[in-house]
Each structure stands twice: as C-alpha cells, then as structure tokens.
C-alpha cells in the first residue's frame, strides 16, 4: 500500500495534471476561465479573494522551502533548526489562517448567494472538498507537530527527503509510510487536488496576466467643461490639461 500511495500515486497525479492542462489548452480554450461571478456579488468577493490568493501564495512558497531546500543548506548558512521551525510555524500559521479565512468566505458566498450558487458547476463541489480538506489537514498537521502531539517527528528528515526523491524517480516511499497520519492525509489530498486542477476552475492559475506588465499605457482624458458650442475651431491636436 505504501508503494502504491507514495511511489505510484504522485506520478499518476502529475501525469493527469500535465495531460489535462495540455488537453484544455488545445481543445477547451474558451472554457479556460475562472467562471467569475463578480457581477452577481462583489462585497464578499473583495474580502475573501485577496485573503485566499495571497495566503495561498505564501503557503505554496513555504511548502517549496520546506520540501525542496535540504536541512544541510540552512545549516550551512547559519540557520539553526530551532530558528527555522520558529519562522516556518509563525509565517506558515499567518498564511494558513489567511488562506483558510479567505476560502471560508468564498465558500459561504457561493452557497449563500442564490445567483452564485446557481453558477457553481458540479465539478466545483469536488474541487472545494479536496481544497478545504487539504487546507484543514495541513493546519491540523502543523498544530499537532508544533505541540508535540506527533512526538519528535521532523518532516525535513522524512517527508522532505521522500518528496525530493520523486524527482530522481526512485521514491523512498518507506519514509512516507512512517509519517504521522495527519501529514499523510494532507499529502494525499494535495496530490488528488493536483490531479483535479486541469478539470476545474483552478486551471486559471496557469494564466497569470504577465502581458499586463508590457501593455501600452492607457491614456485618460478629462471631460472638457467648456460646452462644444462655445468653443472655437482649432487645427491640430489640443493640449491635454
């Protein structure tokens, strides 16, 4: 079972992520959208959306640092294990709470506002289930590990090594089998969510509006307070005031 869950499932999830993304880019370009419901309700959206998106941005960055950067690297630059965990828990807690509060507001909005509820697709229910589950399990695992409920388990010596071994195609699945249950469930929900990304509204994360950085300026002109009938005819361009 450990081989299936931690040695095979991650590659299946990534394969579904890549294949689904390529398929939608090729055959479902008009469906590649967030299906925005801002026209139906904007007050809750203005609160929940920034909280969720910025919170998730720092959550993802924290996962990258914790899983990809080996412990030996942080030791080499003088960051002690205690300092690392203090920074990881403090910043991760703030980001996690912000993301959790944001998604709670968005889910409440989606089921509370009738027009938004009607615009919810059937696949969204499955996506929200695994998204909320992954976030709740991640916060639970962090709390349990910080309070010592999981013993002296150090994920940097277990989960992180297993995660990096996936890139060498020699997954050390025994390390994941020895991880606490909360961590295993969190990762299981996470990889399932990866597989669902191309088939849900989450696919919009691959459409960052980078072109906005290079678009030409938009020129705005103020309304001329002088009535047109009282203006004299002039040749050429008029100076913008």
């Amino acid at each position: 079972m450990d081989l299936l869950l931690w040695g095979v499932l991650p590659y299946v999830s990534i394969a579904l992520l890549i294949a689904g993304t390529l398929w939608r880019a090729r055959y479902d370009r008009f469906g590649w959208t967030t299906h925005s419901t801002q026209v139906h309700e904007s007050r809750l959206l203005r609160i929940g959306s920034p909280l969720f998106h910025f919170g998730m941005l720092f959550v993802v960055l924290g996962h990258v640092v914790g899983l990809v950067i080996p412990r030996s690297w942080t030791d080499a630059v003088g960051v002690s294990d205690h300092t690392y965990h203090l920074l990881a828990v403090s910043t991760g807690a703030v980001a996690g709470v912000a993301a959790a509060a944001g998604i709670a507001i968005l889910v409440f909005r989606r089921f509370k506002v009738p027009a938004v509820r009607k615009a919810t697709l059937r696949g969204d229910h499955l996506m929200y289930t695994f998204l909320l589950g992954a976030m709740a399990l991640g916060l639970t695992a962090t709390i349990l590990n910080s309070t010592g409920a999981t013993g002296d388990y150090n994920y940097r010596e277990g989960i992180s090594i297993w995660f990096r071994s996936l890139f060498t195609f020699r997954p050390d699945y025994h390390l994941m089998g020895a991880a606490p249950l909360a961590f295993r469930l969190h990762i299981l929900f996470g990889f399932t969510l990866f597989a669902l990304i191309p088939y849900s509204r989450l696919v919009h994360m691959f459409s960052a509006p980078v072109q906005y950085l290079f678009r030409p300026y938009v020129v705005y002109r103020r309304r001329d307070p002088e009535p047109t009938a009282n203006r004299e005819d002039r040749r050429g361009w008029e100076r913008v005031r």
Side-chain angles (χ1 to χ4, degrees):
M1 182 60 69
D2 288 340
L3 173 61
L4 179 63
L5 290 178
W6 317 118
V8 176
L9 180 63
Y11 296 109
V12 174
S13 174
I14 298 302
L16 290 174
L17 171 64
I18 296 175
T21 302
L22 293 176
W23 182 88
R24 290 200 68 175
R26 177 65 177 85
Y27 298 104
D28 189 31
R29 294 181 181 179
F30 290 104
W32 190 302
T33 174
T34 60
H35 300 283
S36 176
T37 55
Q38 184 177 2
V39 67
H40 301 303
E41 197 280 336
S42 60
R43 184 174 61 88
L44 292 174
L45 185 64
R46 285 197 300 267
I47 301 173
S49 183
L51 275 175
F52 171 69
H53 285 89
F54 284 107
M56 281 302 299
L57 175 62
F58 287 99
V59 167
V60 171
L61 290 176
H63 278 67
V64 171
V65 173
L67 296 175
V68 176
I69 298 179
R71 181 178 179 179
S72 59
W73 290 17
T74 55
D75 291 340
V77 297
V79 178
S80 65
D81 197 51
H82 174 73
T83 302
Y84 173 86
H85 284 290
L86 182 63
L87 291 174
V89 171
S90 59
T91 57
V94 173
V97 169
I103 193 62
I105 294 173
L106 294 178
V107 171
F108 171 80
R109 168 184 176 271
R110 186 159 294 277
F111 290 99
K112 183 67 175 178
V113 180
V116 179
R117 184 171 63 249
K118 292 180 180 179
T120 303
L121 305 176
R122 287 181 295 180
D124 292 337
H125 296 284
L126 184 63
M127 180 270 293
Y128 279 121
T129 298
F130 280 96
L131 178 59
L132 290 170
M135 296 177 65
L137 289 167
L139 289 173
T140 301
T142 301
I143 294 173
L144 292 177
N145 195 49
S146 301
T147 57
T150 57
D152 57 350
Y153 180 77
N154 188 344
Y155 69 90
R156 301 185 75 191
E157 298 177 351
I159 297 176
S160 297
I161 297 176
W162 162 79
F163 182 79
R164 292 194 296 272
S165 71
L166 294 175
F167 296 95
T168 63
F169 298 100
R170 299 181 63 182
D172 196 348
Y173 55 89
H174 296 292
L175 292 175
M176 274 304 306
L181 179 61
F183 283 101
R184 284 180 284 158
L185 290 176
H186 171 59
I187 293 175
L188 186 62
F189 269 65
F191 273 107
T192 304
L193 185 64
F194 285 163
L196 292 175
I197 286 176
Y199 313 99
S200 67
R201 67 178 68 240
L202 290 179
V203 74
H204 78 274
M205 70 174 61
F206 299 127
S207 301
V210 180
Q211 67 271 18
Y212 285 1
L213 300 175
F214 309 100
R215 67 178 182 178
Y217 292 109
V218 179
V219 178
Y220 291 92
R221 296 180 182 274
R222 292 186 299 177
R223 185 187 298 274
D224 194 341
E226 183 180 354
T228 306
N230 299 332
R231 292 174 53 186
E232 298 180 359
D233 293 336
R234 303 170 186 171
R235 298 183 59 186
W237 294 92
E238 296 182 9
R239 183 177 179 179
V240 179
R241 293 192 294 267

